[in-house]
Amino acid sequence: MSRAGARPAGRTATVAGRVALRLIPALFIAVLFAWPVLALVRRAVNLAAASGERLGELLTRTDALALLGVTLGQAAASTVLALVAAAPIAWLYAHVGGRASVLLAVVVTVPFVLPTVVVGVAFRSLLTGPLSFLHIQSGLGAVLAAHVFINVAVVVRVVGAAWRNLDPRLLEAARTLGAGRLRATLTVVIPRLLPAIAGAAALIFLFCSTSFGVVIILGAGELRTLETEIYTQAIGYFRIPEAVVLSMVQIVVVFAALMLTRVFADPAGTGSARGGVERRRRDAAFVHGRFVRPAMWLVSVWTVVLLVGPVVVLIARSVRPTVGGEWTLAGYRALAEPVNGVTPLESLEYSLVSAAFATVIALVVGVLAAVALHRSRGVVGAIASAISLVPLGISAVTLGFGYLIVLASMPYAIAASPAIIPCVQALIAIPMVIRIMLPALESVPVRLRQAAATLGARPARVFATVDLPIVGRSMGAAAGFAFVMALGEFGASSFLARADTTTLPVLIGSALNRPGAANLATAMAASVVLVAATTLAVLVVEAFRPRSEVPLR
């Protein structure tokens, strides 16, 4: 009787576990994502109905088609420039190993995970300092340069990973048949990298089409995109129907870009993998090539100029805020002085604590979602996987404004809860956790799970004893990426921040909007502190990152 009673109880526990596995991520996304977006749409529909305005009139009034053209144009230009600028760095990343590979990974990843407000400050410093002769201190040129700086990592980590996985025997066979190095690369390597290149391009296009912080800081009002116009209509003029119409147009763009990323999914899997010994042999032969060492030095210099240069200029400007001015540590001393009622050091402390809580939430929800997606198959699994990416590309302005509408109807204790910002930050980081954990879970041999289940282990114990030891490093990398993304989140947090919940990126944005050299110095110094924290987090990520590549965003 006891065994018979135990089996139904075990089956009930298993069914309950499977339901919870799917229900927890679904509820989190429904409450933190779907609810505010739908609330915003509902408010806009009600206001439009009350005023008797139609959709066409709103689209015409907001000049939506022109804004869409500018948004798509700058995103396409940013994508092309990023691919061109990152191509030699991806080549270098594909052929170096050891500590050089880790160092290069850190250098290219830090710009990608830096808060966009910090990137804006860095390029403002660069374009008003060493590159002031270019006369592109703001506008389209400055935005394109910043987008290239940010998205080099996407090309390097996606295309470089695919390049690493190519079987070197294919290139050797072409060389044996008489093809030169250039011809062998064009006819053998490039065709096999096209899926990876297309996948990286789709991701960059997605990120640039929803760029907010960079355009706000460097566009200087001259460059109007869908994202910035949503902010202007919603916050500047409080025209909710207009803002929501533009948000709907942008959501269509986001879904189109997400579909492109799905078409070119798993680009790192291109080609045939090679063993570790063969890879070391190929790389050793490559490095000792006649023209390779000079080329590697040239690419290394290009990498430093492109990715390290803006950060170095930012550090210099933090101690010399104005061109030709005196060297001073006033900006760093001001970190203990209040800006809008809170000091930068207090904001840094809150940012670190908030990012830590967001990491825990993102890891729990993201791992549960990854496990559920791993066990799902067919159309349902494909749809769920696509939905899991939507928070990554949705407008942070749209999301933040939706939160304001939802929280306005809530009791003050809930609306003012310090848990809101960590939950919002976690929502942005969850897609990254899922994208890292899915390949890791798929790498676990099925026979090990089956053996554990045959011996009587329940699914939870199978995961703890079989999956977790194998995917542990990937989970560490996922936690690190979630932390740096939460630490740098700016868009939605700028809507929700209060005096006691102001994150450091939001405070930097506030300091930039205040006149005076002292506020500029404070923003520069706070940006340097955030760069240091982000770099340290990326170093930790690289220490935990598994040997195989993990995808970006």
Side-chain angles (χ1 to χ4, degrees):
M1 287 295 294
S2 60
R3 290 184 179 179
R7 287 177 183 174
R11 282 196 293 268
T12 301
T14 301
V15 172
R18 291 175 180 173
V19 171
L21 192 66
R22 291 163 173 80
L23 191 59
I24 292 176
L27 283 176
F28 188 87
I29 293 177
V31 172
L32 271 297
F33 175 71
W35 188 9
V37 172
L38 292 176
L40 184 60
V41 173
R42 181 183 178 185
R43 174 70 66 88
V45 170
N46 292 338
L47 289 175
S51 62
E53 293 178 309
R54 297 181 179 180
L55 178 62
E57 295 174 352
L58 292 174
L59 290 173
T60 302
R61 183 191 306 167
T62 56
D63 205 10
L65 291 180
L67 290 171
L68 177 62
V70 172
T71 301
L72 298 181
Q74 66 84 21
S78 299
T79 301
V80 172
L81 291 174
L83 289 173
V84 172
I89 306 175
W91 167 81
L92 181 64
Y93 182 73
H95 293 92
V96 299
R99 295 180 179 178
S101 176
V102 174
L103 178 60
L104 184 58
V106 172
V107 170
V108 301
T109 304
V110 167
F112 180 74
V113 297
L114 277 178
T116 55
V117 64
V118 173
V119 175
V121 173
F123 272 82
R124 176 184 284 187
S125 303
L126 184 66
L127 296 173
T128 57
L131 298 183
S132 58
F133 63 92
L134 296 177
H135 302 291
I136 54 170
Q137 298 177 7
S138 62
L140 180 60
V143 170
L144 294 180
H147 282 166
V148 171
F149 173 77
I150 293 171
N151 291 297
V152 162
V154 179
V155 181
V156 173
R157 299 297 284 265
V158 174
V159 179
W163 208 329
R164 280 176 176 241
N165 288 336
L166 289 179
D167 192 335
R169 292 172 294 186
L170 297 173
L171 190 60
E172 292 170 0
R175 297 292 302 276
T176 302
L177 294 174
R181 184 183 297 274
L182 178 60
R183 184 179 179 184
T185 300
L186 293 177
T187 58
V188 175
V189 175
I190 299 301
R192 286 168 172 77
L193 291 180
L194 287 179
I197 295 171
L203 284 172
I204 295 172
F205 185 86
L206 171 64
F207 300 148
C208 294
S209 64
T210 57
S211 178
F212 175 63
V214 166
V215 179
I216 281 289
I217 293 175
L218 296 177
E222 301 175 15
L223 183 65
R224 294 169 59 228
T225 63
L226 285 172
E227 184 83 352
T228 60
E229 191 64 17
I230 293 169
Y231 180 83
T232 301
Q233 294 290 339
I235 301 302
Y237 304 121
F238 206 71
R239 297 172 180 169
I240 299 178
E242 288 85 346
V244 171
V245 164
L246 293 175
S247 297
M248 296 304 103
V249 174
Q250 189 181 53
I251 287 175
V252 172
V253 174
V254 168
F255 270 103
L258 286 175
M259 290 303 102
L260 288 177
T261 61
R262 292 296 301 168
V263 169
F264 302 110
D266 195 22
T270 320
S272 303
R274 60 182 184 267
V277 175
E278 186 178 359
R279 172 181 170 179
R280 287 192 294 271
R281 178 179 63 81
R282 201 292 302 266
D283 288 346
F286 173 85
V287 170
H288 289 90
R290 182 179 178 183
F291 299 105
V292 170
R293 282 187 176 273
M296 293 179 71
W297 278 108
L298 287 174
V299 176
S300 299
V301 172
W302 169 244
T303 305
V304 171
V305 171
L306 181 65
L307 301 180
V308 181
V311 177
V312 172
V313 172
L314 174 64
I315 295 172
R317 291 295 298 275
S318 70
V319 293
R320 196 182 189 187
T322 58
V323 178
E326 297 182 356
W327 298 89
T328 176
L329 295 176
Y332 291 92
R333 288 193 293 268
L335 295 179
E337 299 176 3
V339 177
N340 291 340
V342 61
T343 69
L345 290 180
E346 291 172 344
S347 291
L348 175 62
E349 180 182 359
Y350 174 77
S351 296
L352 293 174
V353 173
S354 176
F357 279 111
T359 300
V360 174
I361 297 170
L363 205 59
V364 172
V365 178
V367 169
L368 289 176
V371 173
L373 290 173
H374 175 64
R375 296 178 181 179
S376 301
R377 293 293 183 267
V379 178
V380 175
I383 294 175
S385 180
I387 291 175
S388 69
L389 278 174
V390 173
L392 188 64
I394 197 66
S395 164
V397 175
T398 299
L399 201 58
F401 199 54
Y403 283 126
L404 289 182
I405 292 175
V406 170
L407 293 176
S409 62
M410 293 284 183
Y412 179 80
I414 297 177
S417 172
I420 291 176
I421 288 183
C423 287
V424 174
Q425 293 171 336
L427 178 69
I428 306 301
I430 284 172
M432 171 65 84
V433 175
I434 294 175
R435 297 275 76 77
I436 293 176
M437 293 304 300
L438 263 178
L441 291 169
E442 290 169 358
S443 69
V444 179
V446 177
R447 64 180 183 276
L448 295 181
R449 296 193 184 107
Q450 293 173 342
T454 302
L455 293 173
R458 293 178 180 176
R461 187 173 182 183
V462 171
F463 179 82
T465 58
V466 176
D467 293 59
L468 196 57
I470 297 175
V471 304
R473 290 181 65 87
S474 294
M475 192 175 294
F481 273 114
F483 180 81
V484 294
M485 291 184 69
L487 186 64
E489 205 286 320
F490 171 71
S493 298
S494 63
F495 283 82
L496 303 174
R498 298 172 179 269
D500 58 339
T501 60
T502 300
T503 62
L504 194 55
V506 173
L507 185 138
I508 293 172
S510 298
L512 286 175
N513 290 328
R514 296 163 68 91
N519 289 308
L520 178 61
T522 302
M524 298 285 187
S527 298
V528 172
V529 171
L530 206 49
V531 168
T534 303
T535 303
L536 180 61
V538 171
L539 286 171
V540 174
V541 169
E542 288 300 318
F544 282 98
R545 185 172 62 86
R547 297 293 178 260
S548 58
E549 282 296 315
V550 295
L552 287 172
R553 289 194 183 187

